Amino acid sequence: VQLTNCRCNAGYSEAEDGVPCVACIAGTYKTLPGVGNCTNCEANEYSTTVAQVESTCSSCPSFSQAPPGSDEASDCSCNTGYTGANGAVCLSCVQGTYKPTVGPSTCTLCGNNTYSSVVAASSSSVCLACQGNSTSLMGSTRQSDCHCLKGYLTNNLGAPNATCQICSAGSYNSQLDATTCSKCGAGYKSSSPGAVSQEQCTACAANTYSASGAAQCELCPSNTFAPGKSVRLSDCKCLAGYY
């Protein structure tokens, strides 16, 4: 009988018969006795057992991953698009969020003026821009979360084809998602489109007048006078010595 007749058991590795046997470390196994190396648990599996003799490595939780040869559950990290502690349940990123990295980090909110209805998103590319001249909060989930800005009116409010139209000169809007713009009062004007408050309607000067919703004040005829904020042509009165 020779020392080389001594063979390492399953679960132990050896370079050749008759040399000291080394137990397979956690994350590996060896099913047969004799010369050979321990085999790693496959990717997305782990094992905490030393000198394991079977390939009964445990699977990582759903939607997580681990490198080959992992030796504990905490080696399992949530996939992109999923979040949770290492080794624990991985939850999908909800609508309006995304996660581009593997690991326990939280999902990131889509930015202002964007929205996303995608679940388990792994890239910010799912965050779609709101229609022009509208805004949304971070983490918005649908296009109807995009609200037309002040100074604009909403066409087809709440519909996928909603658009934001600028208030014309002579009008204003001080609210989000308004469906109409308010006219400047008679005797006032607003020459620039997109006004956001009534304060942007300025009073007509003396010798001018305007109806409601005017972009400019009209001049009175020659040799007439009208006080400021006049509202009609008939407010222009002939000067003394004229009729």
Side-chain angles (χ1 to χ4, degrees):
V1 177
Q2 297 179 347
L3 180 61
T4 55
N5 290 332
C6 298
R7 307 177 67 198
C8 289
N9 296 331
Y12 292 81
S13 67
E14 60 176 346
E16 58 183 72
D17 290 336
V19 299
C21 301
V22 179
C24 293
I25 61 174
T28 68
Y29 62 90
K30 181 168 171 280
T31 59
L32 298 174
V35 175
N37 295 320
C38 302
T39 302
N40 282 332
C41 290
E42 294 185 0
N44 309 330
E45 295 181 342
Y46 68 94
S47 172
T48 60
T49 304
V50 176
Q52 183 167 302
V53 299
E54 297 179 313
S55 58
T56 53
C57 302
S58 300
S59 296
C60 286
S62 298
F63 311 115
S64 66
Q65 58 183 276
S70 292
D71 59 5
E72 55 186 0
S74 60
D75 291 331
C76 301
S77 300
C78 291
N79 295 336
T80 59
Y82 293 83
T83 185
N86 287 347
V89 174
C90 296
L91 302 175
S92 59
C93 293
V94 299
Q95 294 177 341
T97 68
Y98 63 94
K99 179 172 168 278
T101 58
V102 174
S105 58
T106 58
C107 303
T108 301
L109 293 172
C110 287
N112 290 321
N113 309 328
T114 68
Y115 65 95
S116 171
S117 59
V118 178
V119 176
S122 60
S123 169
S124 61
S125 63
V126 301
C127 303
L128 304 178
C130 289
Q131 64 268 34
N133 303 306
S134 67
T135 185
S136 70
L137 298 175
M138 295 178 68
S140 293
T141 61
R142 57 185 67 86
Q143 187 178 13
S144 59
D145 291 333
C146 301
H147 304 290
C148 289
L149 298 170
K150 297 176 181 180
Y152 292 80
L153 62 85
T154 307
N155 293 315
N156 301 319
L157 179 65
N161 62 340
T163 59
C164 302
Q165 178 181 336
I166 194 168
C167 292
S168 59
S171 65
Y172 64 92
N173 168 43
S174 58
Q175 298 179 341
L176 297 177
D177 270 352
T179 54
T180 59
C181 299
S182 301
K183 291 182 178 181
C184 291
Y188 290 80
K189 69 176 178 69
S190 176
S191 56
S192 298
V196 299
S197 72
Q198 189 175 16
E199 285 68 32
Q200 290 179 262
C201 301
T202 56
C204 290
N207 301 330
T208 66
Y209 65 93
S210 74
S212 63
Q216 298 293 338
C217 300
E218 303 291 335
L219 285 172
C220 286
S222 298
N223 303 308
T224 63
F225 171 81
K229 302 181 185 179
S230 292
V231 300
R232 59 183 66 87
L233 177 61
S234 61
D235 291 333
C236 302
K237 308 297 185 183
C238 289
L239 296 172
Y242 292 85
Y243 66 91

